[in-house]
Amino acid sequence: MGVVTTDDRAPDDRAPGDRAPVDRAPDDRAPGDRAPVDRGPGDRAPGDRVPKQDRSRATRRRLLAAAVACLAERGWAGSTVSVVAERAGVSRGAAQHHFPTREDLFTAAVEYVAEERSDALRALFPQGATGDRRAVVTALVALYTGPLFRAALHLWVAASNEEQLRSRVTELEARVGRESHRIAVELLGADESAPGVRETVQGLLDMARGLGLANLLTDDAGRRERVVAQWAGLLDDALG
């Protein structure tokens, strides 16, 4: 018998160890085969680099969130730039690139979260003014009973003793106060052209701040619910 060369074999006449050709339909993949990736224009493959601007914004957000958490938990004295940077998972140099001074970092942090909370409050009532004033009062009071208020309070105390910080915090609180008042007027459907209405809304916000202070040391939820119910009734009478 002569030696059979490759050219002499018929299609089904394979030598031992030869691999049969694979005849698969387009969607018939063997185990381990990778499916083609169908990405939209804005999608990135896992290996693609995140744009520098996006990384910078993400770092800034982490620093702001870490600053608020540190201020609420440690107070002003225990909240240094190094502590915040470590909590945010970035270097001190990166933190100072975004916020050159400690005052820059903490005033920006409280302002950032205040804006986030305002947006969240508006999202609860996307249609604006609502007839359920108790729900509005409850939501407004909630702004003063969370970590933001605790952080802001530490900032106020520090500002009372540090002249450089005082002007920044005073300006910040004025802006936050105006925005809170504007949101309250809108959600309550209050007509400030009527006598006493503006003062009534201001009184509501002052009451909410007082409830926030009372909640710092003990859980004041039970009393707070009764006060909120009473204020909702007073607002119905005052605002019509």
Side-chain angles (χ1 to χ4, degrees):
M1 179 182 297
V3 178
V4 179
T5 65
T6 302
D7 293 338
D8 293 329
R9 297 190 200 116
D12 293 328
D13 186 15
R14 292 184 299 275
D18 284 358
R19 297 184 61 184
V22 178
D23 183 16
R24 297 193 197 105
D27 293 330
D28 186 16
R29 292 184 297 275
D33 284 358
R34 298 183 62 182
V37 179
D38 184 14
R39 290 192 294 270
D43 295 340
R44 297 192 192 98
D48 290 349
R49 292 180 60 83
V50 178
K52 183 177 181 180
Q53 188 175 14
D54 289 349
R55 294 200 307 274
S56 179
R57 279 196 294 263
T59 298
R60 180 182 172 88
R61 284 194 297 269
R62 288 204 307 274
L63 284 166
L64 293 174
V68 170
C70 286
L71 200 56
E73 295 171 7
R74 297 168 173 259
W76 175 255
S79 299
T80 64
V81 174
S82 295
V83 168
V84 171
E86 182 178 359
R87 182 167 188 146
V90 304
S91 68
R92 179 185 172 90
Q96 290 182 314
H97 170 74
H98 288 278
F99 304 102
T101 70
R102 186 185 185 198
E103 291 78 11
D104 289 334
L105 172 60
F106 286 101
T107 52
V110 174
E111 182 175 19
Y112 167 76
V113 180
E115 291 172 354
E116 292 289 304
R117 293 298 297 273
S118 294
D119 290 343
L121 180 61
R122 290 185 184 279
L124 292 175
F125 307 97
Q127 303 304 318
T130 173
D132 189 354
R133 288 195 170 120
R134 180 167 180 171
V136 174
V137 175
T138 299
L140 288 169
V141 168
L143 291 177
Y144 295 93
T145 54
L148 168 62
F149 179 73
R150 186 182 295 272
L153 186 61
H154 283 296
L155 202 59
W156 296 345
V157 172
S160 68
N161 297 316
E162 298 192 27
E163 187 65 33
Q164 183 178 359
L165 189 59
R166 186 181 307 163
S167 60
R168 293 177 179 227
V169 175
T170 301
E171 180 184 353
L172 168 62
E173 285 304 313
R175 291 204 306 273
V176 171
R178 286 193 297 270
E179 179 64 11
S180 298
H181 185 93
R182 185 160 48 246
I183 292 174
V185 167
E186 177 185 330
L187 295 180
L188 292 168
D191 178 8
E192 288 196 293
S193 65
V197 169
R198 179 174 179 81
E199 289 73 21
T200 298
V201 175
Q202 288 176 334
L204 165 63
L205 294 174
D206 287 342
M207 179 274 298
R209 186 178 295 110
L211 289 177
L213 285 169
N215 197 61
L216 287 174
L217 297 178
T218 60
D219 183 358
D220 202 43
R223 187 175 73 90
R224 188 164 64 246
E225 288 180 5
R226 295 191 297 272
V227 173
V228 165
Q230 179 67 17
W231 259 94
L234 293 173
L235 287 170
D236 283 336
D237 293 338
L239 304 180

